[in-house]
Amino acid sequence: MLQQSAESGLIDKVLHHVEAIYRDTPTVVDYDTLARELLALMRLDELAPAPPQHVNHWSQRDAIMITYGDTLLREGELPLVTLKQFLDNYADGLVTGVHILPFYPWSSDDGFAVLDYSSVNEFLGSWADIAAIAGEYDLMADLVINHCSGRSLWFENFLQGRSPGKGYFYTASPDADLSAVVRPRTSELLREVQTPEGTRHVWCTFSHDQVDLDFRNPEVLKQMVSIVRQYLDNGVRIFRLDAVAFLWKIPGTSCLNLEETHEVVRLFRTLVEHAVPGAMLITETNIPNRENLSYFGNANEAHCVYNFSLPPLLVNALVTGDCRHLKTWMMSMPPAQNGTAYFNFVASHDGIGLRPAEGLLSDEELEELVTTMRRFGGHVSYRALEDGQSKPYEINIALFDALQGTTSGPDSRGVDRFVCAHAIMLALEGIPGIYIHSLLGTRNDYERVEHSGHYRAINRHQWQYDALIEELERADSCHAQVFARIKALLALRQSQPAFHPNATQFTLHLGDALFGFWRQSMDRRQSIFCISNISREPLPLALSAINLIGDGDWVDLISGAHFHSREEMVELAPYQTVWITNATGPGLS
């Protein structure tokens, strides 16, 4: 064991991590050697001092657009080049970052079965194209850490007993008690394969083409650390740890959120924040709310966690006209410590996850939500339970179609309802992530579902770039209307200190159909009351009910309306949002 010294530094911290990860494994690990190897891979000084803690690397100006590398297509042009043109011409100044979903060579799951972590898919572009985007925008990339493709070189080598790959994949006996394992799929967990050592059964949390890596082998950890260093060198500043909750396996347990998994996240945070000041980790853990929050640790794990409960609860509130569950959940959410933040989103490349709503919505309410989404053209994906039954796991639908009506059926207020969802999300404590198809108001893509055979493809439309630009420049286009209204909200958000991701937030109690909360800037100079009518009927709002301070001039940032007295009544149209503030702009005048 490495001896502690008066001049202890980074090496001691990394040593602590690797000891905690490997002390209960049957693998014989030289902790000292492994710690030094990890630092060498990251090109870090063993005695490097710790960076400042509890520092916020974000502000109210930050918003991240989420997209596939090939969502925008133009004949004769590489998709990453087309994407940068869209960012520069239509999103510059409105989003500060872009999450490009897996841009590596892949074999299935639209990128999440990685063939080669070190390469850019040649059909998308090159590392030079990635670096060009990273040079102007905060780049988020996926570290697909739990599994890789069953057709990767690593797995082919595993099957042949060669390196690199030998010992890289988790195997288990089909006779082991795996009944407690929590999974998001209904396929068989184990896949039988032949190796030089005989028949083995590899672990496949997601699909048989996505084989789980075995982090009990330190060589796997070293490979991932090497990949992180390469991504940093190519401009990646935000790492999305995909499906990280499933990373460590111990048969007889749920194999979800195990302590070793949390320690691996802590190790990656230590390495990343020492390597590049301001670099961040975001954990992608589509699990019940309490478990999701655990990935903040004590501000020593993820910088950000996905706010997975927000999409199902917000969609449910808007289609039922009842915000009670959304309000109850918000009141239960602890403020993020400085140095951490929520990552808020309403839509993503996946569907609307239902596990994060478990315990927040009743089974009957979840079933009503599922039924409503099916009526609007959505599909439902299932997960396996311990008793062999299955349960809805995810609703697959484009958010624009999900909000085209209410539990009573479709109506004419879809655009207003859709914009209301984003107005709520953009005002909440946290950093907003906006799926490109939400920015564009994209509809369900049934043809892509039929072609791919996967329900998630319904929300992964590919736009021909020139056709999209024509839509955005037509005043009567629904896509142009959505784009303009969400852009306006983003522009407003950027100059309001009360919308800092870590600014104070309190929930307001305004009944079941008015959803509201109060934000206050960290210097307490600005307050914003964010109130949305989530119902189909006009509703009165008494300004006295939201405790405006004094009788000074208050203004709704969205409509520009001014209010001079707490005694005023305001009528909110269906799905209208107001951001009522006492001060506006950079100078808070």
Side-chain angles (χ1 to χ4, degrees):
M1 178 184 294
L2 184 74
Q3 295 296 314
Q4 295 283 333
S5 70
E7 197 182 3
S8 64
L10 177 58
I11 184 65
D12 297 308
K13 194 169 185 180
V14 173
L15 178 62
H16 171 81
H17 292 312
V18 298
E19 285 182 325
I21 293 167
Y22 291 106
R23 64 188 168 207
D24 293 327
T25 66
T27 310
V28 177
V29 177
D30 183 330
Y31 302 133
D32 185 9
T33 299
L34 177 57
R36 295 183 189 280
E37 287 176 333
L38 296 177
L39 291 180
L41 288 169
M42 290 291 287
R43 302 197 301 275
L44 293 174
D45 185 338
E46 294 181 359
L47 296 179
Q53 299 299 297
H54 305 291
V55 174
N56 297 324
H57 302 297
W58 42 80
S59 75
Q60 65 273 13
R61 295 192 57 81
D62 289 301
I64 294 175
M65 189 183 82
I66 305 164
T67 182
Y68 279 100
D70 60 356
T71 293
L72 306 176
L73 301 173
R74 180 185 256 169
E75 188 173 352
E77 189 169 81
L78 290 168
L80 289 175
V81 174
T82 308
L83 172 60
K84 186 162 188 303
Q85 287 185 29
F86 177 79
L87 288 165
D88 292 345
N89 295 332
Y90 290 90
D92 187 34
L94 294 175
V95 299
T96 54
V98 57
H99 172 199
I100 305 177
L101 289 150
F103 48 78
Y104 329 110
W106 53 274
S107 58
S108 63
D109 197 20
D110 281 353
F112 287 93
V114 179
L115 288 165
D116 178 8
Y117 290 89
S118 64
S119 300
V120 175
N121 187 333
E122 63 181 6
F123 296 104
L124 297 179
S126 66
W127 279 116
D129 298 314
I130 291 293
I133 294 173
E136 298 186 35
Y137 302 89
D138 293 328
L139 178 61
M140 183 193 301
D142 292 277
L143 186 65
V144 185
I145 194 170
N146 178 71
H147 52 264
C148 72
S149 171
R151 285 177 270 178
S152 64
L153 176 63
W154 286 355
F155 193 64
E156 290 179 359
N157 283 347
F158 171 84
L159 296 178
Q160 299 299 321
R162 297 194 298 254
S163 294
K166 182 179 181 180
Y168 276 24
F169 296 91
Y170 196 96
T171 62
S173 168
D175 298 324
D177 180 8
L178 304 178
S179 60
V181 174
V182 173
R183 297 186 60 224
R185 299 290 186 271
T186 55
S187 57
E188 291 293 325
L189 174 62
L190 301 181
R191 169 188 168 188
E192 182 178 307
V193 297
Q194 300 302 318
T195 74
E197 289 77 33
T199 300
R200 294 290 183 269
H201 295 84
V202 293
W203 191 288
C204 302
T205 297
F206 292 91
S207 78
H208 283 191
D209 188 43
Q210 293 166 292
V211 189
D212 287 37
L213 294 159
D214 188 353
F215 275 82
R216 295 175 304 178
N217 181 351
E219 293 302 314
V220 174
L221 177 65
K222 287 160 59 177
Q223 285 279 14
M224 282 296 164
V225 168
S226 178
I227 290 161
V228 166
R229 181 68 260 184
Q230 180 189 5
Y231 291 0
L232 287 170
D233 290 342
N234 282 280
V236 173
R237 290 297 173 265
I238 308 171
F239 292 86
R240 177 184 180 272
L241 302 185
D242 177 67
V244 68
F246 301 95
L247 182 136
W248 202 270
K249 288 87 173 167
I250 299 178
T253 73
S254 67
C255 299
L256 186 70
N257 308 317
L258 299 187
E259 177 54 31
E260 290 87 348
T261 295
H262 283 280
E263 195 65 49
V264 170
V265 176
R266 290 191 280 269
L267 168 64
F268 275 89
R269 173 154 181 165
T270 294
L271 295 174
V272 164
E273 68 183 6
H274 278 79
V276 175
M280 296 163 50
L281 302 181
I282 297 185
T283 47
E284 189 268 332
T285 49
N286 193 356
I287 51 181
N289 192 53
R290 185 178 297 275
E291 298 170 39
N292 185 38
L293 294 178
S294 71
Y295 283 87
F296 276 140
N298 184 23
N300 62 347
E301 292 189 34
H303 294 85
C304 299
V305 299
Y306 274 76
N307 221 342
F308 272 110
S309 294
L310 178 60
L313 292 178
L314 183 51
V315 169
N316 182 73
L318 287 163
V319 299
T320 63
D322 186 340
C323 66
R324 285 177 297 170
H325 296 304
L326 181 62
K327 189 164 56 177
T328 298
W329 165 75
M330 271 198 46
M331 290 188 293
S332 73
M333 295 292 282
Q337 296 185 53
N338 283 328
T340 66
Y342 292 108
F343 187 71
N344 295 325
F345 69 107
V346 191
S348 74
H349 63 290
D350 292 336
I352 301 170
L354 296 178
R355 286 214 72 205
E358 292 177 9
L360 303 171
L361 298 177
S362 68
D363 288 344
E364 293 74 19
E365 288 165 328
L366 285 168
E367 183 57 39
E368 181 181 43
L369 180 60
V370 165
T371 299
T372 302
M373 295 298 101
R374 279 190 168 128
R375 189 185 311 171
F376 296 161
H379 299 289
V380 179
S381 298
Y382 290 82
R383 67 181 179 93
L385 302 178
E386 292 182 32
D387 60 4
Q389 301 296 309
S390 60
K391 187 174 183 177
Y393 170 76
E394 180 180 83
I395 299 167
N396 303 116
I397 191 169
L399 184 67
F400 190 88
D401 282 298
L403 295 174
Q404 66 180 271
T406 68
T407 52
S408 299
D411 59 31
S412 62
R413 299 189 180 277
V415 172
D416 291 336
R417 194 178 290 110
F418 183 79
V419 173
C420 179
H422 288 85
I424 290 172
M425 185 267 285
L426 289 172
L428 286 172
E429 175 192 353
I431 301 168
I434 303 178
Y435 191 33
I436 190 170
H437 292 305
S438 293
L439 197 61
L440 303 175
T442 309
R443 307 293 300 270
N444 289 335
D445 190 333
Y446 302 110
E447 183 178 344
R448 195 165 169 84
V449 172
E450 184 176 355
H451 177 74
S452 68
H454 299 293
Y455 286 157
R456 282 181 166 179
I458 198 170
N459 193 27
R460 299 177 179 178
H461 180 71
Q462 290 179 301
W463 279 96
Q464 291 298 320
Y465 186 73
D466 293 335
L468 170 63
I469 300 310
E470 286 183 14
E471 285 288 337
L472 295 183
E473 294 178 352
R474 280 179 43 217
D476 62 341
S477 165
C478 177
H479 303 292
Q481 293 168 20
V482 166
F483 188 55
R485 291 178 67 178
I486 293 180
K487 279 177 61 178
L489 292 173
L490 279 165
L492 285 172
R493 171 190 164 85
Q494 289 184 342
S495 58
Q496 313 307 321
F499 285 152
H500 187 285
N502 295 89
T504 299
Q505 176 174 290
F506 284 109
T507 308
L508 303 176
H509 298 275
L510 303 170
D512 297 339
L514 288 178
F515 178 65
F517 49 96
W518 173 68
R519 302 295 307 279
Q520 184 183 58
S521 60
M522 298 168 85
D523 63 7
R524 301 187 179 182
R525 294 176 61 196
Q526 183 186 38
S527 291
I528 303 179
F529 292 90
C530 309
I531 302 162
S532 299
N533 178 0
I534 62 162
S535 77
R536 297 183 297 170
E537 305 297 331
L539 290 175
L541 169 66
L543 295 187
S544 59
I546 61 174
N547 194 31
L548 296 186
I549 303 168
D551 286 325
D553 190 35
W554 291 75
V555 62
D556 171 22
L557 292 167
I558 298 175
S559 70
H562 286 257
F563 313 106
H564 305 287
S565 170
R566 288 178 293 176
E567 305 310 313
E568 291 186 51
M569 296 289 293
V570 180
E571 183 173 272
L572 295 186
Y575 307 108
Q576 180 183 355
T577 294
V578 291
W579 289 346
I580 300 176
T581 184
N582 63 325
T584 62
L588 295 181
S589 57

